[in-house]
Amino acid sequence: MKFVRMVKSAPDVVKADGTNLGMMPARAMKYCEPLLTASRQGYYVYPPVDFYLMWTGSEVLYRLGAEGEWTLLDRLYLKDFVEDYQNSCPEGLEDYYPPFLDVFPEGDIVQIGAGYSLIGDEGQCHWVRGPINLPSNAGYDCFEAMIDSSWFCSPLFINIKLRKQDVPISFPRHRPLLQVVQLPNTILPKTPIVQPEITEMDGSSQEFWQAWARSYDKRNGGRSGSYASEQRRINTQYAVAD
């Protein structure tokens, strides 16, 4: 996977390391391997500039920086980026630059460009989503997307739905805008929807109850972090098998 910085002011992409930028509780870091495993997947991508959005109930306003003026948002291009793009691109591609902010017809949905493009590895796709296990912003929800980056090269962006009305929502450059996780593209084909098998507890097999007892003893009767230590041991076997 290769990230191409297209906006000079875009911060470096950072590998997620499971600490949630130092905000992971110490007890979780020591004992909760499932939480750490989820949090260290993929890469943090940050906004290229500090900006604010505000939903009035009928339209979206934006402001660049803390001192900027509120302006009606339709489609916003970063001026410096457009100039840099046109000076860098091959002849014939001068008008192929993406917007930084774009309002969808629904009115309260905004597409935010991260200032990067992504070229995936062969056989891989990427999952674009909000930052994993970081406190979410109550002012908006993130739409998640999976893109086959093994052949499709596009600007990296995320779509959000604004939730609060008449409240400025801050997007600072020091806080991740999105998280990108690389996955095998074999998960992409549309397959028949198969309902999960559901059984009742009183009809569960002996194997289920044996597995339940083993896990319960580890979770409640063993020392703290017994799952974490066992899973970390198993992870070394996965790494060797890979």
Side-chain angles (χ1 to χ4, degrees), residues 25-46:
R27 196 161 64 89
M29 291 186 63
K30 186 174 183 179
Y31 299 128
C32 194
E33 188 65 19
L35 191 66
L36 293 175
T37 299
S39 298
R40 63 173 170 250
Q41 300 306 308
Y43 303 84
Y44 293 135
V45 185
Y46 299 76

Side-chain angles (χ1 to χ4, degrees), residues 41 82 107 146 172 229 234 238:
Q41 300 306 308
V82 173
M146 302 188 75
S229 59
I234 294 173
Y238 290 155

